[in-house]
Amino acid sequence: MKIIMISLDTLRADRLGCYGYTKPTSPHIDRIASEGVLMERAYAADIPTEVAHTAIFTGKIGLTTGVVSHGSDLSYLPKSVEWLPSKLKAAGFKTCAVDNLYNLKEWFARGYQCYLNSSGKKRWIDGRTVNDLALPWIREHKDDDFFLFLHYWDAHTPYLPPESYIEPFYDKNRDPYKDGGSGMSRAYEHPAYPFFKHHHYKLLGPITDAEYMNALYDAEIRYLDDMLRELDETLEQLGIKEDTLLVLFGDHGESLTEHDIYWDHCGLYEPTVHVPVILRWPGHIPEAVRVQGFVQHADLLPTLLEAAAQSAPSGLDLSALRVPEGIDGHSLWPSIRGESSGTMEEVFLSECAWQAARAIRTERYKLIRYYDPGIFQRPVTELYDLLEDPEELVNLADSEPETAEELEYKLNQWIARKLAGRPDPMLKQIQDSQLPFRRRIESILGTVGLTWESWIQNPHRERYDALDHSHTGHSL
């Protein structure tokens, strides 16, 4: 048996054809979905990247592991916490990752016999780099039982797709840099401008049309889709497609100007927390299955362990494939077989990077509770009726106070159960070490002689640009 688990970093579900998008971003991903099972309402319970992947590989949400914050010096995952690659390695699988999360935290390299760090010397990682590392390894180990984790970053900023991929999503006769373009002024005047100028805008030049930025995001997905097609063609050429459980997931989505969030993945709104999850395993998973109920990242660990145990060839250690006790995830197999729809009736969500917030998402409503809004202007509580207002534009917290109170009580009860008397790691992060991304923007401001306090009082890009001499030939 082979397992290839693929993280499609920063990929929101509604930008794929199989999730209803009408632009041609994902023909091959759509084909994979038609050959297996698609989770229509899969959620990243913890965002962004660091906490999402920790949940995936432990089967435990952040409140259970204590890892709730991305980029925090306070985060630590004890080695006693069971880890999916380690369990598969102990069972006898060859294990390999093409990834760079080890650069963030050491625990992301646990359990791999071979860890191919994809970061290299480039500022960003493209799918070509991942495939050039992964495909030779697959060819070398085609006769082995293996677990391979691939991490593609193409949908993450900076959006730098090959130029040939842009035209289907943006009229070649339009000029994204022309004077008087629309949609970029709010992004450029956002308090996070120094951060995104440093990480993104300087690489793209003085874009004036926000639609071009969104087109670049779509083009990156289309490029990623071709990389996945190349991977699939390799599996077919080697004759191992039928023996391979392929798992695709987005670790989180991306906000493309919604809710005052400009090409980034914070906020517990649907564009960032609703992610694709697709599984294909010929002969084991029926084709064209769509699961309509709620599922979450933590469900992947028990699902994969059960799959490995059920089909493990002789020589593998079945005891190592035992599903750990005390995890938050639940197997997706009953849903795949049509015995149930989803693994939960409601989803609890969390973030602690740009801002600190938690949410509860039910069939109809979403309530978001802010502990620290960071650089954003947010009310303490937001309540949305997702059936009437799927874009989450009308905050009902004041007009429907009973619903808001009921959901906040349920959220607080859930937090208390998960903590079981332990200190809240989110509150500890805020009190002891600030929000990690505030510290990152403070560092960037410090290079031009600004403090956080002085910048927030007057956050205008002209002021920052006058002090920033690290431009690359473009004036933003």
Side-chain angles (χ1 to χ4, degrees):
M1 178 192 186
K2 295 96 167 61
I3 302 172
I4 301 180
M5 193 174 191
I6 300 179
S7 175
L8 308 172
D9 207 287
T10 319
L11 183 58
R12 57 190 270 177
D14 67 1
R15 232 52 185 192
L16 300 177
C18 51
Y19 281 90
Y21 197 44
T22 57
K23 295 182 180 180
T25 54
S26 56
H28 193 75
I29 294 175
D30 299 345
R31 177 186 168 185
I32 293 172
S34 73
E35 295 172 341
V37 58
L38 177 148
M39 305 295 162
E40 291 188 351
R41 292 196 291 178
Y43 281 83
D46 297 277
I47 63 168
T49 301
E50 185 178 312
V51 288
H53 286 89
T54 301
I56 288 162
F57 289 122
T58 63
K60 298 180 178 182
I61 61 169
L63 267 180
T64 303
T65 62
V67 179
V68 299
S69 192
H70 178 94
S72 170
D73 294 336
L74 301 181
S75 296
Y76 176 68
L77 186 72
K79 292 184 178 179
S80 58
V81 178
E82 295 194 73
W83 186 253
L84 178 62
S86 299
K87 292 181 70 64
L88 292 170
K89 176 185 174 184
F93 284 82
K94 301 290 186 183
T95 55
C96 177
V98 180
D99 180 34
N100 68 323
L101 288 178
Y102 176 73
N103 298 353
L104 292 177
K105 290 290 187 294
E106 59 80 19
W107 60 77
F108 289 113
R110 293 177 186 173
Y112 294 111
Q113 295 161 315
C114 178
Y115 189 93
L116 302 173
N117 195 319
S118 57
S119 57
K121 297 180 180 180
K122 296 181 67 173
R123 170 80 177 273
W124 65 94
I125 303 163
D126 61 9
R128 178 78 273 141
T129 300
V130 175
N131 278 14
D132 285 349
L133 292 169
L135 299 187
W137 190 91
I138 293 173
R139 294 187 184 102
E140 181 182 351
H141 294 276
K142 64 182 179 64
D143 297 323
D144 297 326
D145 300 307
F146 67 70
F147 172 76
L148 175 64
F149 172 60
L150 304 179
H151 192 170
Y152 291 89
W153 287 84
D154 299 280
H156 194 289
T157 54
Y159 308 143
L160 296 167
E163 190 171 347
S164 61
Y165 284 82
I166 300 173
E167 187 175 328
F169 307 101
Y170 194 80
D171 186 344
K172 65 180 180 180
N173 295 315
R174 291 175 67 178
D175 180 5
Y177 300 95
K178 71 177 181 179
D179 292 339
S182 62
M184 291 300 296
S185 58
R186 286 180 62 86
Y188 288 152
E189 293 300 332
H190 197 276
Y193 169 73
F195 177 89
F196 288 106
K197 178 183 179 182
H198 179 72
H199 287 281
H200 192 188
Y201 299 148
K202 284 197 300 186
L203 296 170
L204 298 175
I207 293 171
T208 59
D209 186 1
E211 285 306 310
Y212 182 66
M213 297 285 282
N214 293 346
L216 292 177
Y217 180 76
D218 285 348
E220 286 282 27
I221 299 171
R222 184 63 184 83
Y223 172 72
L224 168 65
D225 192 78
D226 273 354
M227 295 299 101
L228 295 177
R229 176 180 52 79
E230 182 180 78
L231 170 68
D232 235 2
E233 289 173 351
T234 300
L235 300 181
E236 292 187 27
Q237 292 165 3
L238 296 174
I240 60 174
K241 177 181 175 180
E242 304 297 313
D243 194 33
T244 301
L245 170 56
L246 185 69
V247 182
L248 307 180
F249 66 86
D251 64 336
H252 51 73
E254 185 85 318
S255 287
L256 306 173
T257 75
E258 301 97 339
H259 297 96
D260 200 31
I261 304 167
Y262 300 95
W263 308 289
D264 191 44
H265 29 272
C266 64
L268 299 177
Y269 306 107
E270 293 296 287
T272 299
V273 296
H274 178 211
V275 295
V277 171
I278 299 167
L279 299 89
R280 185 193 69 196
W281 193 12
H284 300 268
I285 291 176
E287 294 187 354
V289 174
R290 300 181 72 94
V291 174
Q292 297 180 354
F294 293 134
V295 305
Q296 64 177 344
H297 277 152
D299 296 332
L300 290 172
L301 176 138
T303 304
L304 267 62
L305 288 178
E306 287 188 16
Q310 291 168 10
S311 65
S314 59
L316 292 185
D317 182 1
L318 292 178
S319 65
L321 300 174
R322 173 188 55 82
V323 175
E325 297 180 1
I327 64 171
D328 299 298
H330 301 277
S331 174
L332 296 171
W333 285 104
S335 297
I336 293 170
R337 293 191 293 262
E339 299 164 7
S340 65
S341 181
T343 58
M344 60 195 74
E345 295 182 358
E346 55 208 10
V347 181
F348 295 93
L349 308 164
S350 172
E351 66 171 325
C352 188
W354 275 115
Q355 54 191 13
R358 291 191 175 110
I360 176 173
R361 202 269 198 227
T362 68
E363 189 70 29
R364 179 171 181 177
Y365 290 102
K366 181 187 290 177
L367 178 130
I368 305 173
R369 170 71 164 82
Y370 292 93
Y371 299 78
D372 186 339
I375 58 174
F376 296 92
Q377 299 295 318
R378 307 289 192 209
V380 174
T381 305
E382 294 176 344
L383 175 69
Y384 298 103
D385 184 338
L386 297 177
L387 297 183
E388 298 294 328
D389 177 28
E391 295 183 358
E392 300 164 288
L393 300 176
V394 181
N395 183 7
L396 303 174
D398 292 333
S399 60
E400 296 190 21
E402 292 184 358
T403 301
E405 290 173 7
E406 176 186 348
L407 290 174
E408 186 161 1
Y409 175 79
K410 185 175 286 190
L411 175 63
N412 289 335
Q413 289 294 105
W414 172 80
I415 294 168
R417 287 197 305 274
K418 291 298 178 183
L419 289 174
R422 294 178 289 116
D424 188 332
M426 183 179 290
L427 298 182
K428 181 176 176 57
Q429 176 67 43
I430 297 169
Q431 294 163 2
D432 294 358
S433 192
Q434 272 294 351
L435 288 166
F437 276 59
R438 169 171 167 173
R439 296 182 67 180
R440 289 176 68 173
I441 200 171
E442 283 179 334
S443 176
I444 293 170
L445 290 169
T447 64
V448 299
L450 291 174
T451 65
W452 168 272
E453 289 74 18
S454 66
W455 170 248
I456 290 299
Q457 290 174 7
N458 183 20
H460 295 296
R461 63 168 171 154
E462 293 84 359
R463 181 181 176 219
Y464 178 81
D465 286 347
L467 298 169
D468 178 29
H469 303 296
S470 62
H471 58 80
T472 59
H474 293 295
S475 176
L476 287 167

